[in-house]
């Protein structure tokens, strides 16, 4: 394979055939370099990680499940260092090319997986989503992407970051492939369509006006598919308050995950990654306790909004992908805004799917749908219906 978009980790293009005759027979897949593939190092996007961690002898659960279902492995993809990033720029491995908007970042941290699928180098790819790392690149690259219900998909053999928010997700270019892969990984076929749609007015108001306007045809199509429509505020405390809570809990857990490695191996890493870990190390306990309380409030709010048969829609990202190579001072406000529309995933554990179909000045932006915990199959059914109606 010619890696024309710098999506793959060098030396990992080692094909593994899937089981013949399975439901995914004929499909190819790649995996973010956080998943174990037997015989290949799990690099985690940092060249010092694999030096002190043994090469895996077994495939991760999601990798083995796709192989057993008949899909064939093609290679491992670039990630932000130890998944601590949201834009897809890696100081060691470079930035994968977003074929939908080549002058812009692909989004991260599942950057290589999204870039590989968008470029047609594989049919689907595994990513991880802790604070938006599947949803954001799906939006920026014009793909279907899912963050499943937290705990729904086995994460054995996946390098953790913040366990109370970590999930395994995946990408596809078309709705039918997305549904087939989702059936294999969820162990459940697409379910019945919902009957009530909530439009998150605070999230649409928070997005750039051009994004909110570009998504309206998709919202109209979704409304026709679902039926009853109502407007609601998703986060009464404020989107930035939910984001602050996620940006408190996630770094603390990330520090706990990587502390031993940092303190004993003194690894090389980008300034932004080190700063994120340091932020977690220095987080006051009182701030963490406040964030835990806000998590309970956010979960209660989504339980209230999303009884069975109800989904909520919002822009996946407030803007299209930023340009490549921006300075850290220019990027930080963008990262903060991204967090405002992604925090609900890590805080509440609810499933979310980003749907492609809109652009702003030629760059993709996604429309997200969220359901109650455990309603992943319902969201997949909506994604397929939206694809058929496009």
């Amino acid at each position: 394979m010619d890696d024309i978009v710098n999506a793959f980790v060098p030396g990992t293009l080692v094909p593994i055939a899937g089981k013949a005759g399975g439901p995914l027979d004929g499909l190819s897949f790649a995996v973010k370099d956080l998943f174990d593939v037997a015989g290949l190092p799990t690099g985690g996007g940092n060249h010092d990680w694999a030096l002190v961690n043994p090469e895996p002898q077994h495939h991760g659960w999601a990798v083995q499940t796709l192989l057993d279902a008949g899909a064939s492995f093609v290679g491992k993809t670039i990630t932000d260092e130890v998944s601590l990033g949201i834009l897809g720029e890696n100081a060691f491995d470079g930035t994968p090319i977003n074929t939908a908007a080549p002058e812009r970042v692909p989004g991260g941290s599942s950057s290589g997986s999204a870039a590989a699928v968008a470029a047609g180098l594989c049919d689907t790819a595994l990513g991880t989503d802790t604070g938006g790392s599947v949803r954001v690149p799906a939006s920026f690259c014009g793909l279907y992407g899912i963050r499943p219900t937290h705990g729904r998909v086995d994460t054995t053999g996946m390098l953790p970051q913040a366990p109370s928010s970590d999930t395994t997700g995946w990408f596809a270019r078309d709705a039918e492939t997305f549904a087939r892969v989702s059936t294999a990984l969820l162990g459940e076929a697409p379910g019945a369509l919902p009957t009530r749609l909530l439009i998150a007015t605070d999230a649409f108001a928070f997005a750039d006006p051009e994004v909110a306007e570009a998504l309206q045809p998709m919202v109209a199509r979704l409304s026709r598919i679902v039926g009853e429509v109502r407007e609601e505020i998703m986060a009464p405390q404020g989107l930035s308050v939910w984001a602050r809570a996620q940006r408190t809990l996630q770094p603390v857990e990330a520090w706990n995950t990587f502390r031993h490695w940092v303190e004993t191996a003194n690894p090389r890493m980008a300034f932004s990654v080190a700063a994120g870990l340091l932020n977690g190390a220095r987080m006051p306990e009182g701030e963490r306790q406040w964030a835990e309380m806000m998590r309970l409030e956010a979960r209660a709010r989504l339980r209230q909004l999303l009884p069975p048969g109800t989904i909520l829609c919002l822009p996946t990202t407030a803007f299209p992908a930023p340009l490549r190579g921006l300075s850290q001072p220019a990027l930080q406000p963008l990262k903060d805004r991204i967090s405002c529309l992604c925090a609900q995933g890590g805080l509440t554990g609810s499933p979310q799917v980003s749907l492609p179909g809109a652009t702003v000045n030629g760059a993709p932006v996604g429309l997200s749908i969220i359901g109650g915990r455990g309603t992943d199959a319902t969201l997949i059914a909506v994604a397929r219906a939206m694809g058929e109606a496009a």
Side-chain angles (χ1 to χ4, degrees), residues 191-239:
L193 291 171
T195 57
R196 185 180 302 108
L197 171 67
L198 306 182
I199 298 174
T201 54
D202 49 349
F204 275 93
F206 183 79
D208 285 353
E210 297 83 3
V211 170
E213 182 179 353
L215 292 174
Q216 289 312 304
M218 293 183 69
V219 174
R221 193 185 336 147
L222 183 58
S223 301
R224 291 192 293 272
I225 289 170
V226 174
E228 180 184 339
V229 179
R230 191 173 80 233
E231 294 185 342
E232 282 281 1
I233 292 174
M234 181 174 71
Q237 300 88 351
L239 296 166

Side-chain angles (χ1 to χ4, degrees), residues 17-212:
K19 184 177 180 180
L24 301 184
D25 197 354
L27 294 185
S28 60
F29 74 98
V31 306
K32 185 178 185 176
D33 196 18
L34 299 184
F35 291 90
D36 288 347
V37 175
L40 293 175
T42 300
N46 180 290
H47 288 191
D48 287 346
W49 176 262
L51 296 179
V52 295
N53 289 281
E55 190 171 279
Q57 302 300 306
H58 305 282
H59 300 315
W61 182 90
V63 176
Q64 187 66 59
T65 298
L66 290 177
L67 289 169
D68 290 345
S72 293
F73 169 82
V74 296
K76 304 191 77 172
T77 56
I78 290 172
T79 168
D80 286 67
E81 290 179 60
V82 290
S83 71
L84 291 172
I86 199 67
L87 295 172
E89 296 183 299
N90 184 305
F92 290 94
D93 297 318
T95 305
I97 295 173
N98 178 352
T99 53
E103 75 283 7
R104 298 172 182 268
V105 298
S109 60
S110 309
S111 53
S113 288
V117 173
L121 301 182
C122 54
D123 296 304
T124 185
L126 294 176
T128 65
D129 191 314
T130 302
S133 292
V134 166
R135 292 165 287 166
V136 171
S139 178
F140 288 170
C141 294
L143 299 171
Y144 293 86
I146 181 172
R147 174 196 164 87
T149 299
H150 182 257
R152 174 70 187 265
V153 176
D154 193 330
T155 57
T156 301
M158 184 187 96
L159 177 62
Q161 183 212 125
S164 75
S165 296
D166 289 343
T167 59
T168 294
W170 50 95
F171 302 95
R173 287 185 302 278
D174 64 88
E176 193 54 40
T177 300
F178 188 59
R180 290 174 63 191
V181 174
S182 298
T183 299
L185 288 168
L186 295 172
E188 180 183 10
L193 291 171
T195 57
R196 185 180 302 108
L197 171 67
L198 306 182
I199 298 174
T201 54
D202 49 349
F204 275 93
F206 183 79
D208 285 353
E210 297 83 3
V211 170

